Amino acid sequence: MVLLWTLRYEALMAARRRIVWGAVLPLALLSLLLAATSPVVTGSADPATRVGAAAVLVNSFCTLGVGLALADRLRRSLESRGTAELLAATPAGPLARTAGALAGPLLTALAPVAVLFLAYAAVVSALAGSATPLGSAAVSLLTAVLPAALLATAFAGLLGVLLPVAAARAVTALVWLWACHFPPGFSPIPTVTGTVLSPLGGYPMVAWAHAPEVWAARDGTGVLRPAVSDTTALVNVALVLATAAACYALGRLVSRISRHGAS
């Protein structure tokens, strides 16, 4: 019950912030506009593959928007003098407060993305007379978009306590492009694009959501670019979640050290 109340409080606080809607909603609409008009998506005869390709667009734009919108989340808690002590005096334990503070804003920011994308997939399913495209959308949201949003939020939050928020957002956007879309032949430094480390989630979307093969094992071979299978898709999801957890834990540690240093 304490977790639910903390989740509700954090979600309502995030919903009141204009940047959450201003950064995420336009990118969600842009993703769907591209999905409806891009030959890369509409060129496939399989409706489930079209939804899988659209999920790549959603994960490219919307999860970055979520990260940019929530980049100042840890910094705001650091700058709110006395808030940590006030929350520590409530019946909520540290685990419930941490889980609620992490999940509440994230779910608020992702809600319009999920609603719009599922509506798009429902239309494709209705036109195709099959539930497979809708299932593809649900699977991609759960196995690719949600883990990627966790990582984008945690990484941007970590940068937000190390750098000015504007700089943190700029660096997050550059790193996101490097990790999701810079092909090995284009990037001046080694890139994780197309590997099991990439937050784009190409492996689970290809394995489980009918996305085109090009989004996994992209432009290269090697131990980090294995063939797509259920196992490598699970490895991709696990590595993205583990990286998100590491970034979040490091951000909390830096925030705590900074707070104690300022007191």
Side-chain angles (χ1 to χ4, degrees):
M1 182 59 72
V2 171
L3 172 60
L4 292 178
W5 280 109
T6 306
L7 190 69
R8 180 176 181 274
Y9 160 80
E10 293 287 349
L12 289 175
M13 291 296 290
R16 295 174 59 184
R17 301 189 60 211
R18 293 181 180 177
I19 191 170
V20 173
W21 304 102
V24 177
L25 195 54
L27 291 175
L29 294 172
L30 174 63
S31 301
L32 296 184
L33 176 63
L34 291 175
T37 59
S38 172
V40 176
V41 178
T42 60
S44 174
D46 183 354
T49 299
R50 291 202 297 273
V51 170
V56 175
L57 294 172
V58 170
N59 212 17
S60 297
F61 293 105
C62 299
T63 51
L64 174 59
V66 170
L68 298 182
L70 301 179
D72 61 344
R73 189 171 51 82
L74 281 178
R75 176 173 284 275
R76 283 163 59 86
S77 66
L78 175 63
E79 293 174 345
S80 301
R81 303 296 181 192
T83 302
E85 290 77 7
L86 179 63
L87 291 174
T90 66
L95 182 60
R97 291 202 309 273
T98 300
L102 177 63
L106 184 66
L107 293 178
T108 297
L110 276 178
V113 177
V115 169
L116 290 171
F117 185 48
L118 289 174
Y120 162 80
V123 171
V124 175
S125 287
L127 294 175
S130 168
T132 304
L134 189 57
S136 176
V139 168
S140 61
L141 283 172
L142 185 62
T143 63
V145 176
L146 181 58
L150 280 167
L151 177 52
T153 302
F155 182 73
L158 169 60
L159 292 183
V161 295
L162 295 173
L163 303 170
V165 173
R169 286 175 172 144
V171 174
T172 298
L174 289 175
V175 172
W176 197 254
L177 289 174
W178 168 80
C180 294
H181 291 291
F182 276 17
F186 177 77
S187 177
I189 56 177
T191 174
V192 298
T193 297
T195 72
V196 289
L197 293 169
S198 175
L200 185 63
Y203 280 86
M205 283 197 283
V206 171
W208 302 324
H210 304 277
E213 281 270 349
V214 67
W215 299 110
R218 186 178 181 185
D219 295 338
T221 58
V223 66
L224 293 178
R225 291 185 171 86
V228 178
S229 67
D230 288 346
T231 300
T232 54
L234 285 172
V235 168
N236 190 188
V237 175
L239 288 174
V240 171
L241 291 176
T243 308
C247 289
Y248 184 75
L250 190 55
R252 294 279 297 181
L253 177 62
V254 173
S255 177
R256 180 171 298 181
I257 292 173
S258 300
R259 184 182 295 116
H260 287 309
S263 62

